[in-house]
Amino acid sequence: MKTLQKYILFLLYSFVCLIVAFIFLHIVFPFKVEDDYSRFITDRNDQILHAYLNSSDKWRMKTDLDEITPTLKKAIVFKEDKYFYQHFGINPIAIGRAAFNNIIHGKRTSGASTITMQVARLLEPKKRTYLNKLIEMFRAIQLEIKFSKDEILQLYLNLVPYGGNIEGVKAASVMYLNKSPGNLSLAEITALSIIPNRPTSLQPGKNNTLIVKERNKWLSRFKDANLFNDEIIQDALEEPFNAYRHNAPKKAPHFSRRIINNHSKSINTKTTLNIELQEMFEEQIKNYSNKLSSFNIHNAAVILIDNKTSEVLAYVGSSDFYSSKDGGQVDGIQAIRSPGSTLKPFVYAKGFDSGVISPKYKLTDVPVTFSGYSPTNFDDQYRGLVSVDEALAQSLNVPAVKVLEKIGSKNLVQQLEQMGFDQISKDKNKLGLAVALGGCGVALDELSTLYAAFANNGIYKPLLYTMEESEKDQMETEMVSPEAAFMITDILTELKRPDFPQYSSNIANIHNIAWKTGTSYGRKDAWSIGYNHEYTLGVWVGNFSAEGVPELTGADMAAPLLFNLFSSLESNAKNWYAAPDGLKYRWVCSETGMKPSVNCEHQIMDYFIPLVTHNKTCNHMKQVMVNVEENVSYCQHCISNHPYKINLTENYPSDLITYYESENIPYDKAPKHNPLCEKMQTNNGLLSIVSPLEEIKYLLQKEDNTEIMLQSHVSNDVEEVFWYVNDAFYEKVKSSESAFFEPLAGRNKITCVDDKGRTKTVNINVQFL
């Protein structure tokens, strides 16, 4: 009895010592499980887009717990470790059985490694010795303490070798079967479960017949153990095995590279991309670019945005990523290019919100100069008076610059900076009125986000590239008012415009898209950005070499691709925009777009924003006192003692009058003023130029940058005068102020127009020494 008690005490003492020793060793030699997985990127539906080797140049893709299906779990546990969920990392019975068999046969005939022990060995590979086996068991218990059973099984499935540089079930299923673990059949699961035991002799693609033979043995064992339904096992036995080594997924390469470089650093990044849309777009863009190659145009880039969520659904950075000849690896979506006319809608929208314009408000489209900057229209033609909606629909340059001058280029640039226009932010101190016509650098994703804001009633939201970002609260900023956004959309839906896509084969639903095109200076970039309720689509066409091409315009080269792509998208054609409650109608004069006066015979309806839009009364007609013959006009100073009558005459803006005069365009004007008017005689006329003087010759030093003073003499009822140099508007000043300009060599024509429409011109000659 005492001997038995001593034996029991000895066992207890030994057990306690083992526990203490284990705790000591566990503290001194902790088991650090370091992740070294291949990074991979999936689309929104978990399809792998792109995968990258891990730091050891191995394909080891992490299998998430939710990818371990019940079928996969049952098959692996039955084959590798039936008592996995009962033991604590080691199976004493299996160890005893294996030791007995090995001693009896004098060699290793069976193993006793549990799944947990295999994980320990895979994490710390060592030679097969009894000492290392003890270490392996110690590590297995450490794993059991640190991880749950499912997490240990997950580690096993992520580490198990499949030959070559492929490790883990996910990497094997992707590289050999081109599918994810969650989509594996029982036959495929069984095949993959036997390969790690003999990765050399059971290599997929080379030994598929042998793999099927070994697979079916295990399927029969599953049947004998009633592990799965007999019908499922029978189907698995008859299923062919056509596995072979595939190339690693390399879909959406530009997008994947952007995600790797700029976004989530997690091993598995689930993105917002829709691979079906992506591949459809890639094919269409490649085919379209092949057609354009005959014009020496070799590349295109496209981005598709979900307006509701701001998620990027398709992202094609070039026509062919693998084309070294045409710079295919350049990401055209992030490349900084001149936007051409594509910023004009934003200029006009800010004009609506500042109250200076409305859709039917008339602007002058005539030659003009702003402190040396002289914009011209794309076709070098001028239209005289045009409404805002016509100016935007026809993409006229001069009216856009005039609106930007009214609202201030700094304000516009500041808001573009706030919306993430990176290059504009860097160049903000250099930018001016030329921004309206593309005198700045933008990227396609930035520009498309701007148009997505129009689609979202003026609300700007940053683009989202990953589902992790999509699950967070989004930053929303009112870029423009809903009223301004609607008016822009209404104008951009207009079909009668020069950028109508003449060569598009898919324009049946063109009326359900609002769009704008743009062409950069030198015809190096062609743009077309469009949107409907569901999507915003941005298109760039050109050459990454920045080589200009005469045929390269937004209307001819970018717009057809835009509409071809839009026609391939499912969209609710009936779901279109309605005017917001804050937008109202009013009658305006058709001649000026202002509130009608008593002299306005023709009126039209126009949108306006109450308490914001200008409330100017039309003054396009003025009363003029003329003699009976209507060939002399009078002023208040010379009307006495003369019979007269009052006529109505067009009161054109002074810059329009100058344009009409310079182009010899006839227009309605008042008769010449009374030559006997004392005021005209005493003041040397109602308007005169006192500097420079007529036909004066100036001898100047070129390096001095000498400026010549512009000064006029006007009647006391004049408040402002307008100076023109060589028939282009130069500057507006108060009647009492002077202006200065740098002359050109040769003959310079100087014209002054007062705010009453009177004009005076002198000519000077300049010679540089």
Side-chain angles (χ1 to χ4, degrees), residues 650 652 656-658 660-661 665-670 757 759:
E650 291 283 355
Y652 292 115
L656 184 63
I657 292 174
T658 302
Y660 285 161
E661 291 285 351
I665 298 174
Y667 65 96
D668 182 23
K669 55 184 176 181
T759 303

Side-chain angles (χ1 to χ4, degrees), residues 48 87 98 100 128 134 137 303 368 402 456 489 533 582 656:
I48 296 179
H87 61 64
F100 177 78
R128 290 178 180 269
L134 291 173
M137 289 189 285
I303 187 170
V368 64
K402 286 187 172 182
N456 284 316
T489 299
H533 240 298
L656 184 63

